Amino acid sequence: MTVGPDFKEPARYRPDLVIGRDELFTAAQDQLARGGSVLLHGPAGIGKSTVLRALAADYGEAARTVLRCSATESESHLPFLALADLFGLVLDEISDKLPAAQRTALESALTGRGESTLQRDGLALRLAVLSALRALAAEGPVLLVADDLQWLDSASAELLGFAARRLGDTPVQLLCAVRTEDQEYDRHLRASPPDTLAVRLNPLSRAQVSALLDHRGYTDLPRSTMREIHRTSGGNPLFALELGRALGESPTPPRPGEPLPVPTSLRALVLSRLDMLSDEARRTLLVASAGARPTLALLHASGRENAEAETAQAAALGLLATESEGPAVRFAHPLISAALYAEAPAQERRAAHAALSTAASDPIERARNLALATTGTDPEVAARLAEAAALARDRGAPSVAASLGLLAARHTPPDGAPGPDEHRLRAAEDAITAGEVDLGRDIAREVLTRATVPADRIRAWEVVIEAAGQALGDVDAVFPQALADAGDDPRLLALVHYHLAWRKLIVEGDFSEARQEAAHAAELAARGDDRRTELMALSFQSSTETLMGHPNAPATIKRALKEPQDPYVACHHNGVGAARFRWLMMSDQLPEARSTITTLLREVRRRGMVESEVHFQRFLAETELRSGHCGRALDLARESLRLARDSGIGLGASAMLTSLAEASGGDVDRALALAREAAERAEEDGDQMYLSRALAALGHARFVAGDAAGAVASLRRVRELETGLRITDPARGRWHGDLAEALVRVGEPGEAQDVIDVAREHALRLGRESVLAVLDRAEALVRAALGDHEAALSRLTSVQDRLAKLGYGLEEARAAFALARLRTERPGPTSYDEAARLFRRCRAMPWLRQVDAAIAAGAPEMITLPQQTAPPSDALEGLASMERQVAALVMEGATNREIAARLFISVKTVEATLTRVYRKLGIRSRVDIVRLAAGRHAK
């Protein structure tokens, strides 16, 4: 992958073994840097030792002496063993610095040459450990690293606790880890220095488990399998890695719906207490592990008559969790259920499912258990499963529907009607809806190895294309094959051309060609009486036309909104509802846009449409951001990004929007990192459309961070990309104001005015009122840079009022801030009251920090260039008559549009004339004309 120079950054050291622990790792680092101690705690396998080692490696260099010990259960009965590990190598260094009695007691304890006990030498030993630590600290900071405190021998634990409580200001720090399971960590904290920070390690999220497995080389696991690993491991990294290893070593990976292979190491770890159960209690727990939502009533209905007593026995052994209320039977950890199920013979598992197939009240559960209790093909079972899959689909559980569909395919005879591949294709489509794109793609490719019916093959190709997401360039070879399979069938051709339209847009970056492909797809679908594909194609065509600023966009949207409608298309993220939302946003109808996207989000959640949910969550965040609700937008954007990372869908787009939200209401450094991530992902996918959006987010973050030159570099590239893409609607990316303001800051108001003029022409044509107001704000700063402060102040006052009426709270606050900076009276804290109030109302923390910085600076920030009413004649020597007139008007501060009006020429002629002026005078912008003329005039 090639990373563009404008968003490349040097690699930073990051402990790759503490994946998912960034925040707590940073907190622990900060605590150690302040001179404090850290106690890590959590259950077995949660990653305490890994974090401990990373912290010790990271901070150990700051200490002169590092003392280490790592206890084990088998050696916990040996007195003073941990003490010997800690002080054995430094005893010679410190022994002559201890009083004789303390030295003798410590040497006896560490070497075993004399009999020493806490009962006999208690005070001397306690004081010896304290004195030893003080002696080492006198030479420089000491870091004591102790793992598995729960296995520390009692004598060493007592001595270290005594010393820790009395170290005071002595530069000795403790970095310890202890397994707590369900018990409290307080007793270990009481034995630590008073300033110790207790850090609990919680389970990893699904995305973090996926990152951990990727890091360890388990990169080919389907997302549905990753979901099962996370569920079964409960987010425990050790358990997840063991499950991943077992899957990697298994020659036959489990099919969807089958349990994961639980390695022997984990079975021994979690089932050590299972032998203490009676055979009947074990069978009861097996039925509970086979059920989706086991309860005592379900166990009774399944024939487990003594369920209460048997589950109580299991709870006493720590196999089941004790529920304070409710009838649920819950295992203490998901891995216990998985290991118990994996341990049982196949015949016993089938018997448990058979009992549940009649006992369960839910038809989906009855069908699932019937399938798992049945071997071989069975048309009746397959039909029951297909009905259950349809019910799951209606309930908004497409993932469950996909699993049931695959079970239906397994139990369908080869000559069944519908056939096995019909069930598989429906399962693949359900998997795509559920966001399990890897599973959907794998099912579809399997069907393609044997399918001969064109309609089946096109359905399978469609799943493969959908699974590629934004990386459509990766499936280029699919399109010729799909076109060949479609033949001359207009319904099938419509589907292929609809996806070709997306390819034209994303891979080739050609809006015009994409629009034509979409229109062709809509025509083919109408001819083939396929209303769903026709609506999807019209929605895509209208969105493309909207972004292009095409005059047909309103008419196409109206066509897409005509009845009859398709419920699926109506709420799809590429459907007519989403197209209408984009139109409302770009037309400044924020309240209606918010209402529309909220309704759509509610509906896709009900249907379980994960990809649409990711996008709509992001759209809602964008609506709140435009409205100036930065805190709300930031919460929504972060949730969208979390969902995108969890599902692997829409990562680049969510990172882009979250970057904008962070820059407006959160952390600017995080905004920069997310924008770079989004840009890298877009370049990796070959996605021209989102690359420009990501670079616009990067430019905005750089501008907010105070890096005007960096913002200019990013946003100039955006301008080039969008010119190539033929995107003319400035409401699409809304980067033009940022670029113009950044150009003013770097001393290029001439180029800034050109950006404003071009964007304003399109904004006027399309009626983009908020864009026009932002451009006017930027132009006011250009005027101020050219010395016309009165005009700048007047225009900013008007802009602030217009933005307030349109409901763009953050842009209104930015106008108030610019106004405060350009006030001609003596600045003071009160000059910024209005801007601070508006930014505070928006919860725009990065901007509030800029206000604080401006107040602290004590003077308004303004860039003023020398103003010249008329250029001296020698400055314009060699220019043609028209060129001299244009240059003279530039010197008066006239815009390109104003120059065109006064000289009765077109704006394009003005632009071309200025280009020639720049070339002849050897300059690059309007401001260079001013500077050149002013300099010659001074002579």
Side-chain angles (χ1 to χ4, degrees):
M1 179 188 72
T2 302
V3 178
D6 51 350
F7 58 85
K8 185 180 290 185
E9 65 174 347
R12 292 179 298 170
Y13 169 74
R14 178 181 182 276
D16 55 9
L17 296 179
V18 291
I19 291 169
R21 308 298 192 191
D22 293 349
E23 289 188 13
L24 67 85
F25 191 82
T26 300
Q29 281 181 314
D30 292 344
Q31 172 73 359
L32 292 169
R34 287 192 296 267
S37 296
V38 174
L39 176 67
L40 306 170
H41 65 99
I46 203 67
K48 301 180 300 299
S49 297
T50 300
V51 175
L52 184 84
R53 287 193 295 269
L55 284 169
D58 186 63
Y59 187 72
E61 295 178 3
R64 177 188 177 273
T65 305
V66 180
L67 308 176
R68 302 174 185 270
C69 72
S70 182
T72 61
E73 185 178 12
S74 61
E75 298 172 341
S76 61
H77 64 287
L78 299 174
F80 306 122
L81 183 61
L83 204 66
D85 288 341
L86 291 168
F87 292 104
L89 296 178
V90 296
L91 182 60
D92 292 341
E93 180 184 344
I94 58 174
S95 59
D96 60 348
K97 300 175 183 176
L98 305 180
Q102 294 179 22
R103 181 171 61 250
T104 300
L106 185 60
E107 288 177 347
S108 297
L110 298 186
T111 64
R113 288 197 294 268
E115 186 178 347
S116 180
T117 65
L118 277 179
Q119 288 75 19
R120 193 184 72 180
D121 302 319
L123 181 58
L125 271 174
R126 288 175 171 84
L127 293 175
V129 172
L130 181 58
S131 298
L133 290 172
R134 285 173 173 164
L136 290 169
E139 302 298 325
V142 176
L143 178 65
L144 192 153
V145 182
D147 198 3
D148 285 318
L149 282 184
Q150 73 277 3
W151 304 132
L152 217 64
D153 64 273
S154 58
S156 297
E158 167 64 24
L159 293 170
L160 289 174
F162 175 88
R165 291 188 294 271
R166 290 165 175 79
L167 285 169
D169 294 332
T170 306
V172 176
Q173 296 170 264
L174 272 64
L175 173 58
C176 306
V178 60
R179 181 189 302 179
T180 52
E181 300 294 349
D182 293 328
Q183 69 253 40
E184 296 295 327
Y185 63 91
D186 289 0
R187 65 185 182 90
H188 299 287
L189 193 59
R190 286 193 295 270
S192 303
D195 62 347
T196 299
L197 173 68
V199 177
R200 177 170 180 79
L201 276 70
N202 292 314
L204 300 180
S205 68
R206 191 194 306 182
Q208 290 164 348
V209 166
S210 177
L212 177 66
L213 290 168
D214 284 347
H215 174 76
R216 294 298 182 91
Y218 306 117
T219 56
D220 297 326
L221 299 174
R223 196 161 294 277
S224 56
T225 302
M226 198 70 71
R227 181 194 63 195
E228 282 302 302
I229 290 177
H230 179 257
R231 186 191 65 78
T232 303
S233 68
N236 185 298
L238 173 64
F239 297 170
L241 285 170
E242 285 296 296
L243 290 168
R245 182 182 58 77
L247 283 166
E249 294 174 354
S250 175
T252 55
R255 291 178 291 188
E258 290 184 343
L260 296 178
V262 181
T264 305
S265 58
L266 290 186
R267 294 190 199 185
L269 179 64
V270 300
L271 298 180
S272 57
R273 287 161 285 187
L274 197 64
D275 292 338
M276 301 173 68
L277 287 175
S278 65
D279 290 343
E280 290 301 311
R282 187 167 180 153
R283 291 192 185 95
T284 295
L285 289 193
L286 177 60
V287 174
S289 70
R293 292 175 296 276
T295 62
L296 287 172
L298 180 63
L299 293 177
H300 277 297
S302 302
R304 309 312 303 165
E305 297 177 357
N306 298 317
E308 284 91 346
E310 289 160 355
T311 55
Q313 182 188 5
L317 292 170
L319 295 167
L320 294 178
T322 304
E323 297 288 349
S324 57
E325 54 184 50
V329 174
R330 187 170 63 85
F331 284 88
H333 192 282
L335 189 60
I336 297 174
S337 174
L340 177 66
Y341 189 90
E343 188 85 2
Q347 184 176 353
E348 290 186 17
R349 293 204 296 260
R350 286 196 297 272
H353 285 297
L356 288 167
S357 69
T358 58
S361 59
D362 185 80
I364 292 177
E365 273 305 290
R366 288 199 300 270
R368 184 183 75 86
N369 281 291
L370 179 61
L372 295 173
T374 305
T375 57
T377 59
D378 187 322
E380 183 180 345
V381 172
R384 291 267 301 275
L385 286 163
E387 292 171 2
L391 181 57
R393 207 172 294 123
D394 290 341
R395 289 181 180 178
S399 178
V400 174
S403 178
L404 293 168
L406 289 174
L407 286 172
R410 194 184 310 169
H411 289 286
T412 300
D415 57 351
D421 279 347
E422 170 62 28
H423 291 304
R424 291 189 181 95
L425 283 170
R426 194 68 183 92
E429 292 162 350
D430 285 329
I432 291 293
T433 301
E436 298 179 3
V437 294
D438 295 341
L439 175 61
R441 180 199 58 220
D442 292 347
I443 297 170
R445 288 203 176 276
E446 180 192 349
V447 170
L448 283 165
T449 61
R450 54 179 173 269
T452 56
V453 177
D456 290 347
R457 292 188 62 81
I458 293 300
R459 282 178 71 186
W461 286 128
E462 189 175 18
V463 169
V464 172
I465 294 168
E466 290 277 1
Q470 300 295 111
L472 286 178
D474 294 348
V475 291
D476 264 349
V478 165
F479 293 101
Q481 299 177 67
L483 284 169
D485 285 334
D488 57 2
D489 187 326
R491 291 176 63 92
L492 302 183
L493 282 170
L495 284 167
V496 180
H497 281 281
Y498 169 71
H499 290 291
L500 276 170
W502 277 104
R503 187 195 171 280
K504 290 287 185 184
L505 179 62
I506 291 175
V507 178
E508 297 181 17
D510 193 325
F511 273 71
S512 180
E513 287 289 328
R515 173 182 172 272
Q516 291 177 28
E517 280 285 4
H520 184 44
E523 179 188 343
L524 287 167
R527 200 190 315 162
D529 197 26
D530 180 359
R531 183 60 173 163
R532 173 173 289 191
T533 303
E534 181 187 10
L535 288 171
M536 291 293 287
L538 287 172
S539 300
F540 177 79
Q541 181 184 344
S542 67
S543 294
T544 307
E545 289 172 349
T546 298
L547 295 175
M548 294 173 67
H550 196 285
N552 288 0
T556 307
I557 290 176
K558 286 181 181 178
R559 286 178 61 197
L561 287 168
K562 282 184 179 179
E563 297 293 340
Q565 286 293 313
D566 182 289
Y568 174 80
V569 177
C571 65
H572 192 274
H573 59 278
N574 290 324
V576 64
R580 182 170 178 271
F581 163 78
R582 292 187 187 94
W583 174 259
L584 291 169
M585 282 288 287
M586 296 175 77
S587 302
D588 298 323
Q589 300 179 56
L590 295 180
E592 195 171 351
R594 181 186 293 106
S595 174
T596 298
I597 201 62
T598 301
T599 302
L600 288 170
L601 182 58
R602 188 184 305 119
E603 179 63 15
V604 297
R605 282 174 173 166
R606 186 188 70 79
R607 290 170 170 263
M609 298 168 67
V610 173
E611 183 171 6
S612 294
E613 181 182 357
V614 171
H615 291 295
F616 289 161
Q617 182 92 2
R618 188 180 81 251
F619 290 169
L620 182 56
E622 183 179 2
T623 309
E624 298 295 350
L625 192 59
R626 296 277 174 244
S627 302
H629 305 150
C630 299
R632 170 74 172 148
L634 184 58
D635 291 342
L636 289 166
R638 285 174 175 173
E639 176 60 23
S640 170
L641 184 59
R642 184 202 63 75
L643 185 59
R645 293 200 193 285
D646 196 35
S647 63
I649 295 171
L651 270 169
S654 292
M656 176 274 298
L657 196 279
T658 308
S659 170
L660 291 172
E662 291 283 359
S664 298
D667 183 275
V668 179
D669 287 339
R670 192 177 296 137
L672 290 165
L674 285 169
R676 291 184 181 103
E677 176 189 338
E680 288 173 7
R681 190 172 294 278
E683 285 217 332
E684 192 174 63
D685 290 343
D687 185 346
Q688 297 297 303
M689 184 174 64
Y690 264 111
L691 178 59
S692 69
R693 296 293 305 272
L695 288 172
L698 179 59
H700 179 71
R702 283 174 165 171
F703 181 76
V704 177
D707 179 11
V712 167
S714 295
L715 296 175
R716 276 176 174 161
R717 188 175 174 199
V718 175
R719 182 175 56 186
E720 293 170 7
L721 284 168
E722 294 205 351
T723 299
L725 291 168
R726 299 181 187 176
I727 296 173
T728 60
D729 193 334
R732 187 249 183 178
R734 297 177 181 267
W735 48 266
H736 310 77
D738 282 345
L739 176 54
E741 291 189 31
L743 284 165
V744 170
R745 291 198 178 192
V746 299
E748 296 286 354
E751 185 182 346
Q753 187 65 57
D754 290 342
V755 170
I756 293 166
D757 291 343
V758 172
R760 181 181 281 133
E761 181 177 359
H762 295 298
L764 283 168
R765 174 173 59 85
L766 298 166
R768 304 303 191 222
E769 292 298 327
S770 64
V771 173
L772 288 167
V774 168
L775 292 173
D776 282 352
R777 184 185 68 206
E779 188 172 53
L781 299 179
V782 173
R783 294 292 180 92
L786 295 172
D788 192 353
H789 291 277
E790 290 303 320
L793 290 169
S794 175
R795 182 163 295 195
L796 283 172
T797 303
S798 169
V799 164
Q800 183 181 343
D801 183 59
R802 287 157 58 196
L803 288 168
K805 289 177 180 177
L806 289 168
Y808 283 75
L810 182 58
E811 299 295 354
E812 176 195 357
R814 286 182 61 178
F817 189 28
L819 195 59
R821 282 176 156 173
L822 294 178
R823 293 290 186 193
T824 55
E825 64 264 19
R826 182 177 176 82
T830 57
S831 306
Y832 294 96
D833 282 353
E834 175 71 358
R837 181 185 68 80
L838 292 172
F839 282 135
R840 196 173 295 111
R841 184 182 69 182
C842 294
R843 289 176 58 191
M845 304 312 296
W847 288 101
L848 270 172
R849 285 190 282 272
Q850 288 198 33
V851 172
D852 291 341
I855 293 172
E861 177 185 305
M862 59 183 80
I863 301 169
T864 304
L865 299 172
Q867 187 173 11
Q868 195 78 14
T869 57
S873 58
D874 62 341
L876 305 179
E877 289 176 3
L879 298 182
S881 174
M882 177 63 70
E883 294 166 353
R884 283 198 303 273
Q885 292 180 67
V886 169
L889 290 171
V890 167
M891 291 304 304
E892 295 178 11
T895 67
N896 285 7
R897 183 174 295 278
E898 290 168 343
I899 294 171
R902 289 172 66 174
L903 297 180
F904 301 101
I905 59 177
S906 71
V907 173
K908 288 188 177 296
T909 300
V910 175
E911 293 170 355
T913 303
L914 275 175
T915 300
R916 292 195 299 273
V917 170
Y918 297 158
R919 184 173 63 250
K920 288 183 178 181
L921 297 181
I923 57 179
R924 294 187 303 167
S925 67
R926 289 167 165 261
V927 70
D928 288 333
I929 296 177
V930 179
R931 287 170 172 162
L932 179 62
R936 293 186 179 181
H937 181 71
K939 295 177 183 178

